[in-house]
Amino acid sequence: MSAVTDPEDTVASWARNNHLVPLWIAAARDVPTAPLTDAVAHHWPSSVIRNAVENAAQVVAEGRTERRIVGLANPGVEGDGVVATTDTLFAAVQIVHPGERVPPHRHSMSSIRFGMEGDGVVALVNGTSVPLRPRDLLVQQAGDWHAHQNNGRGRGVWLDGLDLPLVSRLAAVWFELADGPIETSQEHPRPTLYRWEEMQAAIDRTVAIDGVRRVPYGDDGRVTGTLGCEIAAIDAGCSTPKWREASSSIVMVVEGNGTSEVEGATVTWGEGDVVAVPAWSWQQHHASSPALLFRLSDQPALVALEIYREEYAIE
């Protein structure tokens, strides 16, 4: 006796063979009840980052400044074709020796530069010269022409943050080198620079809630259409609330020591460490000494798409 074929299976098989999806099967099985992420919580100690910086400074030849960059690759998304620190964000540390200059270029990714080291770093954005000092934040919009040079006696080091993985998933990545010098013009806006002195003053003006001050850059932390930045200032012995949000974030320790709990894993951090927080991961940050955390997130992108949400734990 021949086996009886289920008509539903026959239709589903025919659909797959014709590159169609039988959603009456797939939807019931594949639609998640909560956001899913490939990225995992990960910690890059300052010692590891500094070692990579030292090695790059020694082995990458002069004149190859566009290659002297150490990217922070999340173990959960390695091998996906694009280096990513979270599913949607990419962070790296770049080193420029005295007298070196990164050629002018532009790309479809929005980016930030957070100064870490060096007193002579100058960014040239859309033809405007902008000195970048330690703890300053420089914002570069998608399509901005930019170059970097080091006019100081010591090397320049900064943290790069880009929405590269997000733009890559949108199939919208492009890169262009300039044919010559970039002149200042009305066509290109002046760059946005946040001096650390201004942020420190804003921190001092902010009233702490349970020993925590979350201070956004600008009015609401939105520095580009896709990137948001803030400083979390945490008094010694205090903790942030425990929360999770639809956006992912990259946290760099500017000052202090403490621990972070990310989705049940505990990380002990100090100055210069970087922690990746995947989207919709429970997180809480505790300071053992007065701490300053720089947070980069993709929250503005999710807000623009009207899919951002957050949730706080009830203790």
Side-chain angles (χ1 to χ4, degrees):
M1 177 184 289
S2 61
V4 177
T5 303
D6 187 332
E8 185 175 307
D9 291 341
T10 301
V11 173
S13 177
W14 178 89
R16 293 190 186 95
N17 290 336
N18 287 274
H19 308 290
L20 302 171
V21 179
L23 286 177
W24 62 88
I25 297 175
R29 183 184 66 241
D30 299 333
V31 176
T33 57
L36 299 179
T37 173
D38 292 325
V40 297
H42 193 73
H43 172 221
W44 291 268
S46 174
S47 58
V48 172
I49 296 174
R50 285 290 175 183
N51 187 52
V53 167
E54 295 293 341
N55 290 337
Q58 294 177 21
V59 304
V60 180
E62 300 282 338
R64 294 186 63 205
T65 52
E66 75 282 359
R67 294 291 178 263
R68 203 180 296 115
I69 302 173
V70 178
L72 307 184
N74 191 291
V77 291
E78 284 183 325
D80 199 24
V82 174
V83 179
T85 310
T86 72
D87 285 287
T88 53
L89 300 172
F90 171 63
V93 176
Q94 184 163 0
I95 311 101
V96 178
H97 289 314
E100 288 187 332
R101 187 170 190 263
V102 179
H105 59 281
R106 64 178 179 173
H107 43 65
S108 56
M109 292 76 72
S110 299
S111 60
I112 59 96
R113 309 279 183 261
F114 189 90
M116 297 175 63
E117 182 181 327
D119 59 0
V121 175
V122 176
L124 304 171
V125 184
N126 296 328
T128 300
S129 178
V130 183
L132 180 67
R133 299 176 302 197
R135 300 191 181 185
D136 287 351
L137 177 70
L138 175 65
V139 178
Q140 294 168 186
Q141 305 291 336
D144 278 354
W145 287 105
H146 56 282
H148 310 285
Q149 62 189 44
N150 186 354
N151 298 332
R153 296 183 178 180
R155 68 186 178 199
V157 183
W158 60 82
L159 177 78
D160 287 325
L162 299 89
D163 55 5
L164 172 60
L166 174 61
V167 177
S168 177
R169 289 173 185 267
L170 295 173
V173 173
W174 55 261
F175 178 94
E176 180 182 359
L177 281 171
D179 295 330
I182 303 301
E183 303 294 336
T184 304
S185 69
Q186 296 297 322
E187 177 185 355
H188 301 294
R190 293 179 62 84
T192 301
L193 177 70
Y194 297 93
R195 291 291 183 201
W196 178 251
E197 292 84 356
E198 299 170 359
M199 282 303 296
Q200 184 64 66
I203 293 169
D204 294 339
R205 290 193 304 267
T206 302
V207 177
I209 300 176
D210 295 328
V212 179
R213 301 170 179 85
R214 291 181 63 177
V215 183
Y217 283 83
D219 295 329
D220 58 3
R222 179 183 180 275
V223 297
T224 76
T226 56
L227 301 177
C229 297
E230 72 169 19
I231 292 289
I234 311 173
D235 294 341
C238 296
S239 302
T240 66
K242 183 178 181 180
W243 89 101
R244 61 182 179 180
E245 56 187 343
S247 58
S248 65
S249 60
I250 297 169
V251 180
M252 186 179 75
V253 183
V254 179
E255 182 180 302
N257 296 276
T259 59
S260 293
E261 289 188 12
V262 183
E263 203 59 28
T266 300
V267 169
T268 300
W269 43 256
E271 183 175 333
D273 288 12
V274 177
V275 179
V277 181
W280 208 239
S281 296
W282 287 108
Q283 61 180 301
Q284 185 173 34
H285 310 283
H286 173 80
S288 304
S289 62
L292 296 170
L293 306 181
F294 171 75
R295 295 183 68 247
L296 169 70
S297 80
D298 58 349
Q299 180 179 332
L302 279 77
V303 170
L305 293 170
E306 300 183 351
I307 54 175
Y308 177 78
R309 61 172 174 156
E310 61 185 10
E311 179 180 342
Y312 286 82
I314 301 176
E315 300 294 343

